[in-house]
Amino acid sequence: MKSKLFLIAFMLVSSFCFAQDVEISGKVNEAATGLSMPGVNIAVKNSTVNSVTDIDGNFSITVPTGSTLVFSFIGFESFEMVAITTQSVTVNLKETAKTLDEVIVIGYGSQKKKEVTGAVSVVSAETLGKLRPVKVEQALQGTVSGVNVTTQSGSPGAGLDIRIRGIGTNGAAGPTVIIDGYIGELGLLNPQDIETITVLKDAQAAIYGTIGANGVVLVTTKKGRKNQKTSVSYNFYTGFQETSRKLPTLNGTQYAALLNESYANGGQPIPFPNLSGLGKGTDWQDQVFSKNVPLISHDLNLSGGSDKITYSLSGSHLDQDGIVGPDKSNFLRNTARLSLGADLTDNLKLNTNLIYTYFNRRTLNENALGSVLFNALNVSPLQNLRDENGDYTLVPATSGFGNEIINPLAQIDNTYNSYYYKRINGTFGLDYTVIKGLTITGRMGFNTANSNSKSFSKIVDYGPGKIYNVTRSSVSQATVNDNSYTFDLFGVYQKSIAESHNFSFTLGTTVFKEWGTGLSATGYDVPNNSWQFADISLANGLPLQKSAGSYKYDERRLSYFGRLQYDYKGRYLFSAMLRRDMSTKFGPDNRVAYFPSVTGGWVLSDESFFKQNNILSFAKLRASYGSLGNDQIGNNLYTALLSGEATYVFDNALTTGTAVGPIPNPKVKWEAAKKFDIGADLNFFNNDVTFVADYFVDTRTDLLIPNIPVSGILGASAPGSSFPTINAGDVKNYGLELAVGYKKNLSDNLRIDVNYNVTFLKNKVTKVDNATGFLSGGGFGLGEAAARMEVGKPMGYFYGLKMEGIFQNQAEIDAAPSQSGLGSQSTQPGDIRFADINNDGKIDANDKTNIGDPIPAATMGFNINLQYKGFDFVAYTFASIGNDMVRNYERNVPNGNRLNYVLNRWTGEGTSNSVPRVTTGATNNNVFSSYYVEDASYARIQNVQLGYTFDEKLLGKSGPTKVRLYAGVNNLYTFTKYRGYDPGASSGAPIGSGIDYGFYPVARTYMVGANINF
């Protein structure tokens, strides 16, 4: 009996225990993208029971009831759930906010973020996806400390300039861009093809030697993942654009009243005796700026992989019209990309990446005197658009309007040009593991590009005496072929000794070559005076021999480099680099240069004396020092070329021929940079708060200064010749960078990511060793030099007279130094009073001084990203403080229109001390002075976006894995006191960059879009 009872009890207990096993199955996805995640580990907490998701992210595991399942994957936050009953679940893993184990590309290798000893910043694909920039460069503005991005123009497809830690040269100041190992162009990439952008700002870039002085931007494009089924991602947005700003010009009545006063002050009859009935007149900006201008973008990506192969295939289409003359100003870009990786053997891996880019662009005359916007601001509001015959009206041919102000609508209508560009570039690479820890990489990168451009000048009459009149039609065409290749061969050997001493050795060589040709020609008398027939083959007017030109170039660089990286238990970090470069851009005496650098770091938080606490989670100090170079200079400066002009006598007849061009300098060499940086990386509150600080000094020497005077017997004054270019300039940039971030999942439904960065910068020229001690650039008005590079001053500072106010009466004029040395012999009350800088009792060109600095004293960015359940909100802002700009978009002619600030002009004693009187008479008020320099500090809301991601349960198992819809505004609003269109615009020239000729404003864009994954 007892044995039977025992058997029954055993069976009951066994049944009870069996009933406690439950099966949990389902799928694991990335929360951000909705893509399935293979290889996710699912483990029972405090047990050895575990499972792993398959290639589709699916899993199934049987566990006892009440067990806690832990889902984990590197780079993602672990997720826990309690198994209560058999069920199917979908788990969405979120990227971890703790980034110390994040791998960062540093050039010819990578490092964990914790071990990086240089000043390095990273922009992720997630940030690019939120910003949706038309051009990649825009994504660096406000997101990376120490980086300033300025627009050359807001027209579609216009270039942007990147400056890293200031302006260090009077030549090419942009960084080198490395795309998957080859030298490329950032602005040609589809932003959605990019996985990460890494910015090397200090001596960490010394591994790139003579191309690293201006900083290095490393771009890694997207690749497929192993053991992942094919996933499809489609991104789309469309919207409409409008100008972000109109300038407050005078209306018709105000304009007429101003002219009456101006003519009366000049002793001339007033042009408008009766102001009644004039009204507001024509608002030319309303006529020039279009509204609801379309913008559309499509992007499609397929990616996946097996155990041996990964692949990623994408294509994109962008079509953007301009807010000024959209029929004559637009940009279309198509791209295609293929990335393929294959494990050919256990030790040999193949990596390929190909990118095809095509774009065409049409432009208007902009950012210059006589541009479309220049004319829209200066033409009379009392002029009609068209005359009684329906033709565009002509600006009167009087001296009051000058000879360059024309009807801007006629100008748009008569503008014809096109530019077509095709490019294919990529890399082919092999990685071979020789032995454990030693990998040899061979990689070939290439670029080949072809472009064709055409411009047509039709016969047109803008009015008598206008400089833009065309009396004979012409067509100019050009074709350019540019090529380059990069071959890298390097080995990386990693070795650990006693699990404490970790070494990494890199040794390699790089061969770089670039070559190309260009051909251009101009023909006259285009048939039918029509764009349709504008082709060089049809323009057969006399002379029959077309005006033609061509060029050819071939430059090479051979480099060797080595790097040693060492750390002790990840606590003490050290790196040393050396690169040897040899370039054909320099003469035999200076063809070779060496660029050494060292970096070091100390992870204090790993020390035994560092007590674990809830406040400071991680602390690292680092420093770097090294030499880098800049070879972005003109070709063949060291040798004489037959590029000059000369007249010879043959058979008693004068014959035009060639002669020696610019005088060569056989000792020309690289510009050199010595970079010092000391920084700290601190994480607080379990790494939820990050803080990065860097103090940097960038000292440049041997800048190339053109036109250094030498003996005239050498022929520098001949046509096409000039004085030589010599290494004779130095400049110094120094400052402080601070960046703070807070990233945390506040709950299962709420996530916050907030970042702020600020950079304080000082720039000072320390040497200009030419005959004058300065180098001029830029232009004000009709050509007055307005900017300089001079010792003790910032690069490109504004050089002019200093305004001290307005003369209120004749007594003040009599007591002040004479201003007759400026040109006008008459100074009257209401004219500008200039400062006598040298105290010699007179005002002349010797009193010009520093009146402004185009380089901002500080730049900063503030970005916020909120996610609540399915909703997400992002906002990106940028600010520039302390930069000045020259107001040069007003033509100083009597009848030109003006901005409404002139309503506060001087009209009598005590009425104004800031805006001078108006008059048709000669004055010195038009001489370049601080009156035309304005504070262009600004803060801009760059991007605001609100999105919603649909719950996966609503999409169904056979439908898309993710659907996100969003609406946003780019360039929402700019806070500034600057009067011009865009305080953030720049010509990009180191000397003269802040002179505003009427910069084409960056459009405000309202958009809606969708991100759909399958």
Side-chain angles (χ1 to χ4, degrees):
M1 184 64 180
K2 288 182 179 181
S3 61
K4 291 181 179 180
L5 290 174
F6 178 80
L7 179 61
I8 293 171
F10 176 80
M11 293 175 64
L12 288 172
V13 171
S14 299
S15 299
F16 178 78
C17 292
F18 179 78
Q20 302 313 300
D21 284 342
V22 295
E23 182 180 1
I24 307 297
S25 61
K27 189 175 184 179
V28 180
N29 299 324
E30 288 186 28
T33 65
L35 297 176
S36 58
M37 295 184 63
V40 176
N41 185 60
I42 304 105
V44 177
K45 200 170 187 178
N46 300 322
S47 171
T48 59
V49 178
N50 68 84
S51 181
V52 178
T53 58
D54 63 17
I55 189 173
D56 298 320
N58 298 318
F59 71 95
S60 178
I61 186 171
T62 300
V63 297
T65 299
S67 300
T68 299
L69 295 181
V70 181
F71 296 77
S72 60
F73 192 81
I74 295 175
F76 289 78
E77 293 187 351
S78 297
F79 174 79
E80 296 186 3
M81 65 167 288
V82 179
I84 302 298
T85 184
T86 297
Q87 60 180 315
S88 178
V89 298
T90 298
V91 176
N92 295 305
L93 293 186
K94 300 176 181 178
E95 287 187 88
T96 180
K98 304 173 181 61
T99 58
L100 294 179
D101 292 329
E102 175 187 349
V103 176
I104 294 177
V105 177
I106 58 170
Y108 302 104
S110 59
Q111 275 185 306
K112 288 184 179 180
K113 185 175 181 179
K114 176 182 178 181
E115 299 170 354
V116 171
T117 51
V120 178
S121 297
V122 179
V123 176
S124 67
E126 182 181 8
T127 298
L128 290 165
K130 292 168 183 173
L131 284 171
R132 296 288 165 189
V134 172
K135 286 202 164 188
V136 178
E137 298 97 316
Q138 295 167 320
L140 300 178
Q141 184 75 297
T143 59
V144 178
S145 61
V147 175
N148 191 19
V149 180
T150 56
T151 57
Q152 296 177 7
S153 166
S155 63
L160 296 99
D161 295 299
I162 302 174
R163 299 292 181 260
I164 298 176
R165 291 183 168 179
I167 299 174
T169 175
N170 58 307
T176 297
V177 177
I178 308 292
I179 304 171
D180 292 328
Y182 66 89
I183 297 176
E185 293 185 40
L186 198 59
L188 296 180
L189 292 175
N190 169 24
Q192 302 311 307
D193 282 340
I194 296 175
E195 186 67 33
T196 61
I197 301 174
T198 304
V199 182
L200 308 182
K201 297 180 283 188
D202 66 345
Q204 189 85 49
I207 195 72
Y208 291 103
T210 188
I211 60 175
N214 296 328
V216 177
V217 177
L218 304 176
V219 177
T220 303
T221 59
K222 292 179 179 177
K223 298 175 175 59
R225 294 181 181 177
K226 285 188 175 182
N227 298 316
Q228 177 180 293
K229 70 174 184 178
T230 301
S231 63
V232 180
S233 173
Y234 171 65
N235 300 297
F236 160 81
Y237 67 83
T238 186
F240 60 89
Q241 308 164 89
E242 63 182 19
T243 182
S244 54
R245 196 171 199 188
K246 277 181 54 183
L247 303 192
T249 53
L250 300 180
N251 63 35
T253 302
Q254 293 170 331
Y255 168 81
L258 185 77
L259 259 63
N260 283 345
E261 182 179 325
S262 177
Y263 274 71
N265 287 341
Q268 296 179 275
I270 62 174
F272 301 99
N274 184 7
L275 300 180
S276 63
L278 294 179
K280 293 185 176 180
T282 302
D283 188 328
W284 288 96
Q285 291 181 90
D286 279 347
Q287 301 302 319
V288 166
F289 285 120
S290 298
K291 297 181 180 179
N292 301 322
V293 179
L295 168 69
I296 190 168
S297 173
H298 299 273
D299 178 83
L300 182 67
N301 179 274
L302 292 84
S303 63
S306 63
D307 287 340
K308 301 292 185 180
I309 296 176
T310 62
Y311 57 89
S312 178
L313 176 66
S314 69
S316 72
H317 170 79
L318 173 76
D319 195 351
Q320 181 184 20
D321 287 340
I323 57 175
V324 177
D327 294 336
K328 297 293 182 73
S329 170
N330 46 50
F331 178 68
L332 183 147
R333 182 187 67 206
N334 294 321
T335 68
R337 184 182 63 90
L338 172 64
S339 174
L340 180 67
D343 293 349
L344 303 179
T345 69
D346 290 342
N347 294 336
L348 184 62
K349 297 180 180 180
L350 169 70
N351 296 286
T352 64
N353 189 51
L354 294 174
I355 300 176
Y356 171 77
T357 303
Y358 163 84
F359 73 80
N360 65 61
R361 184 178 183 228
R362 295 188 296 170
T363 60
L364 296 167
N365 188 348
E366 57 179 277
N367 301 345
L369 296 180
S371 68
V372 172
L373 290 178
F374 173 88
N375 286 317
L377 293 174
N378 288 278
V379 72
S380 167
L382 296 179
Q383 179 176 326
N384 294 325
L385 304 179
R386 296 178 182 268
D387 60 22
E388 59 275 7
N389 298 321
D391 298 324
Y392 288 114
T393 55
L394 303 179
V395 175
T398 65
S399 60
F401 284 99
N403 58 6
E404 73 275 356
I405 299 177
I406 60 177
N407 187 321
L409 296 183
Q411 184 180 16
I412 293 173
D413 197 49
N414 292 311
T415 297
Y416 300 91
N417 61 68
S418 64
Y419 181 78
Y420 295 90
Y421 182 93
K422 296 179 181 179
R423 181 187 187 112
I424 185 168
N425 50 267
T427 55
F428 296 90
L430 290 171
D431 298 328
Y432 181 66
T433 302
V434 182
I435 58 175
K436 182 180 179 181
L438 175 61
T439 301
I440 304 295
T441 297
R443 183 172 60 204
M444 174 71 77
F446 70 94
N447 292 279
T448 182
N450 292 279
S451 65
N452 294 281
S453 61
K454 180 167 66 174
S455 63
F456 167 57
S457 297
K458 68 181 295 185
I459 298 173
V460 63
D461 181 14
Y462 291 111
K466 298 299 181 182
I467 62 174
Y468 297 107
N469 289 342
V470 179
T471 58
R472 189 182 186 192
S473 64
S474 66
V475 58
S476 297
Q477 292 179 245
T479 180
V480 175
N481 173 251
D482 295 311
N483 306 275
S484 70
Y485 73 78
T486 305
F487 175 70
D488 297 321
L489 179 63
F490 62 95
V492 178
Y493 179 62
Q494 296 178 321
K495 178 69 174 179
S496 295
I497 300 175
E499 299 183 355
S500 298
H501 302 277
N502 304 302
F503 296 88
S504 178
F505 302 92
T506 302
L507 188 65
T509 182
T510 292
V511 178
F512 175 75
K513 178 179 178 178
E514 58 180 352
W515 72 101
T517 58
L519 177 65
S520 61
T522 300
Y524 295 91
D525 298 337
V526 175
N528 302 316
N529 193 34
S530 169
W531 170 250
Q532 184 179 355
F533 297 93
D535 189 270
I536 198 75
S537 63
L538 301 176
N540 294 317
L542 296 175
L544 293 176
Q545 183 178 3
K546 308 284 194 301
S547 173
S550 65
Y551 68 85
K552 182 179 181 180
Y553 67 94
D554 185 342
E555 298 294 337
R556 285 147 286 163
R557 183 171 59 245
L558 174 63
S559 308
Y560 301 96
F561 58 88
R563 177 172 60 202
L564 165 65
Q565 294 167 283
Y566 167 78
D567 74 81
Y568 174 72
K569 293 185 177 181
R571 185 186 310 160
Y572 308 115
L573 314 169
F574 175 79
S575 176
M577 290 165 274
L578 178 64
R579 176 157 171 148
R580 178 189 186 271
D581 279 323
M582 180 169 63
S583 173
T584 58
K585 285 197 173 186
F586 306 97
D589 294 341
N590 290 303
R591 188 154 285 179
V592 176
Y594 293 86
F595 302 98
S597 72
V598 293
T599 68
W602 178 24
V603 182
L604 284 78
S605 52
D606 283 355
E607 292 286 1
S608 58
F609 61 75
F610 187 88
K611 295 182 180 180
Q612 296 296 322
N613 58 78
N614 295 325
I615 299 178
L616 184 59
S617 313
F618 173 79
K620 178 177 68 177
L621 300 179
R622 48 184 169 75
S624 65
Y625 180 79
S627 297
L628 302 91
N630 179 23
D631 71 348
Q632 303 306 300
I633 66 171
N635 297 335
N636 304 308
L637 295 178
Y638 66 92
T639 189
L641 299 176
L642 292 175
S643 58
E645 301 176 11
T647 301
Y648 301 90
V649 178
F650 292 103
D651 296 329
N652 295 319
L654 293 177
T655 303
T656 300
T658 60
V660 175
I663 297 175
N665 172 17
K667 295 185 178 182
V668 67
K669 60 182 179 180
W670 348 70
E671 297 179 351
K674 292 195 169 44
K675 294 178 180 282
F676 170 76
D677 183 282
I678 184 169
D681 301 330
L682 306 175
N683 292 359
F684 300 90
F685 308 112
N686 197 29
N687 297 317
D688 292 335
V689 176
T690 59
F691 176 77
V692 179
D694 283 272
Y695 173 76
F696 61 89
V697 180
D698 183 345
T699 303
R700 302 290 185 94
T701 58
D702 295 324
L703 303 189
L704 290 165
I705 306 297
N707 294 315
I708 302 292
V710 295
S711 174
I713 199 173
L714 298 176
S717 300
S721 184
S722 63
F723 290 118
T725 297
I726 295 178
N727 299 93
D730 297 348
V731 67
K732 180 179 181 181
N733 289 278
Y734 56 99
L736 177 68
E737 295 175 4
L738 302 173
V740 61
Y742 175 64
K743 187 175 183 180
K744 186 175 179 63
N745 293 326
L746 300 178
S747 69
D748 291 340
N749 295 322
L750 180 60
R751 184 184 188 190
I752 185 171
D753 186 359
V754 181
N755 294 278
Y756 171 79
N757 66 77
V758 60
T759 302
F760 302 97
L761 177 70
K762 290 287 186 180
N763 174 283
K764 183 171 66 173
V765 175
T766 57
K767 176 183 177 183
V768 181
D769 194 7
N770 61 1
T772 61
F774 64 85
L775 188 63
S776 297
F780 175 79
L782 297 180
E784 182 181 359
R788 279 187 171 185
M789 172 186 177
E790 186 176 2
V791 174
K793 304 293 194 302
M795 176 75 75
Y797 82 98
F798 301 133
Y799 180 74
L801 297 173
K802 182 179 180 181
M803 176 183 178
E804 287 191 323
I806 304 294
F807 285 117
Q808 299 298 320
N809 50 54
Q810 187 62 41
E812 290 186 358
I813 297 174
D814 295 339
S818 170
Q819 299 187 165
S820 61
L822 299 177
S824 174
Q825 302 300 309
S826 173
T827 301
Q828 297 184 25
D831 288 339
I832 296 176
R833 179 209 300 264
F834 299 110
D836 183 11
I837 298 298
N838 62 0
N839 295 314
D840 63 354
K842 60 182 179 180
I843 306 297
D844 54 22
N846 295 319
D847 292 300
K848 290 186 176 183
T849 186
N850 182 358
I851 57 174
D853 182 1
I855 302 175
T859 57
M860 59 190 72
F862 176 75
N863 315 311
I864 184 169
N865 180 0
L866 298 173
Q867 296 180 14
Y868 178 71
K869 294 186 176 180
F871 291 95
D872 61 86
F873 171 80
V874 296
Y876 285 77
T877 63
F878 175 80
S880 177
I881 309 299
N883 54 298
D884 298 314
M885 190 169 284
V886 174
R887 188 178 71 252
N888 193 37
Y889 46 78
E890 297 171 307
R891 181 69 172 97
N892 287 313
V893 291
N895 290 19
N897 199 6
R898 305 290 295 276
L899 268 60
N900 66 1
Y901 72 85
V902 300
L903 298 178
N904 297 319
R905 65 192 176 279
W906 187 94
T907 56
E909 187 169 351
T911 55
S912 175
N913 199 40
S914 58
V915 182
R917 68 190 177 105
V918 292
T919 179
T920 58
T923 73
N924 293 316
N925 296 337
N926 297 336
V927 176
F928 181 54
S929 70
S930 57
Y931 171 65
Y932 297 98
V933 178
E934 297 183 18
D935 179 7
S937 301
Y938 70 96
R940 174 172 293 162
I941 303 175
Q942 298 187 117
N943 176 278
V944 174
Q945 190 180 115
L946 178 65
Y948 180 76
T949 303
F950 288 89
D951 193 311
E952 194 177 75
K953 296 177 182 178
L954 300 176
L955 303 178
K957 293 184 178 180
S958 60
T961 57
K962 177 185 177 182
V963 174
R964 176 179 178 265
L965 304 179
Y966 65 89
V969 184
N970 286 351
N971 194 29
L972 178 60
Y973 192 79
T974 300
F975 301 89
T976 184
K977 293 182 179 179
Y978 180 62
R979 294 188 179 110
Y981 282 117
D982 188 356
S986 167
S987 68
I991 306 175
S993 62
I995 301 175
D996 186 355
Y997 297 95
F999 282 116
Y1000 191 127
V1002 178
R1004 178 183 295 118
T1005 305
Y1006 303 89
M1007 64 173 64
V1008 294
N1011 312 131
I1012 305 173
N1013 295 339
F1014 296 91

